[in-house]
Amino acid sequence: MTAMTADNSSDNRTGLAAPIPRIGANARGDASAQSLISLLRQDADRSQAVSVQRVPAKPRKPFAKPATQAPATRATLDAMPQQAQPLAAPASASMQAAALQAPKPLVLNDPHFMAATSRPMPVALATGDAWSTLPNLYDNSKTIDPHQVQMVLAHQDARVVRIFDDLRTQLLTSMQSEPWRRIAVTGPTSGCGASFAALQLALSLSRIPDQRTVLMDLNQRNPALTRQLRISRESDMAGYLRGEISMRDHLVKFSSTLALGLNTAPADRPSEMLHMRRSGEVLDAMIADLDPHLVIYDMPAMLEHDDLAAFLPQLDGVLLVADATKTLAPQIEECERRLSGKTPLLGVVLNRARRLPGTAVAA
């Protein structure tokens, strides 16, 4: 489990972080009662054995080799025009008919390519590199230092940034063996610091040069990312999910490795919107076009609203953020119960935690 000592809504700068226990099969037993449960715990084995029956191919009858005239040398063939090159002897009538019926090889720019594929694509993918077409949030986005932004958000407390770096490393290590690509960050109740944790994690991931991360503000009840980043740009997440706004008009690049899907105003009936098939198609198309390594969704409190429950089919895992000053153990247990058998609970981040006696700060 990972502990934090500060967030965007807390002025507690004196508390220190609890140690981070090792990750593994016995991680849950290693965590103390104060530190709740270990980060990135795998609750269920999501792998399923799939048996494939192979049907042996029917043997093909070999064609009889037609009589041909003496072959010309390679140098002679290359020197002759294409229309003037010598031809082989006429083939049999059956071979000529087979050649006429043989399909031509498909190429990507063939107008019949989509019609000839066995499974049509559900969404139209953008041509070229869609990531490069996203507008920059700032004119100097190429020179933005995510680490400096993290320090500002953490009130210049380097320990908080190091904790999220550790969380990033543990998450990426686990992703090497797990198909995790879409992760929601939420809390049991409002005010636990889920938006702060999602933003810090995204900024930490964005410092990896060859990895792209997308952070989406799906907390349409109380959007906080624009407020934390002090962004005045108007953004309408509801319009984007309904397909009324294009991806290029909605998403912006915070840096060369981090894209943001923001929201500036609460939406009407956000839970129902997440149930819509159109919302899932829009988000699937965004992932297909941008091909990010990880997508992080900032979600409302799961015990107060059903937004997360409506969005579970779109997720590979959930990261729970608890407030050490007010979150109760039964609330965490209830969150775990609601996720059981549906989506893995990747772990719990304990926010606003003071250092336990006799412990050291994890580097």
Side-chain angles (χ1 to χ4, degrees), residues 27-245:
R28 184 170 185 176
D30 295 340
S32 62
Q34 292 85 351
S35 60
L36 301 179
I37 62 178
S38 173
L39 175 68
L40 303 175
R41 183 192 57 218
Q42 182 175 354
D43 289 339
D45 186 3
R46 302 176 64 235
S47 61
Q48 298 180 354
V50 179
S51 60
V52 179
Q53 297 181 354
R54 299 183 179 273
V55 180
K58 296 182 179 180
R60 297 181 179 179
K61 296 181 180 180
F63 288 107
K65 293 184 179 180
T68 58
Q69 63 184 26
T73 63
R74 181 65 182 172
T76 305
L77 289 176
D78 292 341
M80 297 176 63
Q82 184 176 2
Q83 296 179 353
Q85 291 181 4
L87 301 177
S92 62
S94 60
M95 292 183 61
Q96 292 179 356
L100 293 175
Q101 296 177 0
K104 297 181 180 180
L106 293 175
V107 293
L108 292 180
N109 58 357
D110 191 329
H112 302 289
F113 175 75
M114 290 298 296
T117 53
S118 59
R119 189 184 68 171
M121 295 183 180
V123 294
L125 303 186
T127 58
D129 186 6
W131 187 276
S132 61
T133 65
L134 295 179
N136 293 322
L137 180 61
Y138 306 109
D139 295 336
N140 59 339
S141 292
K142 294 183 179 181
T143 61
I144 291 292
D145 185 358
H147 185 268
Q148 292 183 358
V149 179
Q150 286 184 270
M151 290 292 292
V152 172
L153 294 175
H155 306 298
Q156 302 300 325
D157 191 342
R159 296 165 297 180
V160 175
V161 177
R162 289 200 303 269
I163 288 172
F164 278 103
D165 288 348
D166 185 84
L167 173 60
R168 171 197 64 187
T169 301
Q170 296 184 63
L171 181 61
L172 294 179
T173 302
S174 299
M175 287 174 60
Q176 296 178 2
S177 59
E178 297 290 343
W180 296 339
R181 194 179 190 184
R182 303 169 298 176
I183 294 176
V185 181
T186 184
T189 58
S190 301
C192 290
S195 297
F196 171 77
L199 181 56
Q200 282 281 1
L201 179 59
L203 290 170
S204 184
L205 287 165
S206 71
R207 287 158 48 199
I208 303 177
D210 60 348
Q211 183 167 289
R212 294 174 176 177
T213 303
V214 177
L215 174 60
M216 303 290 289
D217 191 349
L218 292 190
N219 189 347
Q220 300 181 81
R221 300 178 184 275
N222 184 24
L225 296 182
T226 54
R227 182 175 65 253
Q228 292 187 15
L229 291 172
R230 285 116 173 134
I231 298 174
S232 58
R233 174 190 175 102
E234 293 293 331
S235 300
D236 183 9
M237 178 63 72
Y240 174 66
L241 295 178
R242 289 193 297 263
E244 301 170 356
I245 303 174

Side-chain angles (χ1 to χ4, degrees), residues 20-32:
I20 302 175
R22 60 187 175 89
I23 300 301
N26 299 323
R28 184 170 185 176
D30 295 340
S32 62

Side-chain angles (χ1 to χ4, degrees), residues 312-332:
L312 285 181
Q314 298 285 332
L315 297 175
D316 298 322
V318 175
L319 189 65
L320 193 66
V321 180
D323 187 340
T325 64
K326 67 177 184 179
T327 302
L328 304 177
Q331 294 175 326
I332 298 178

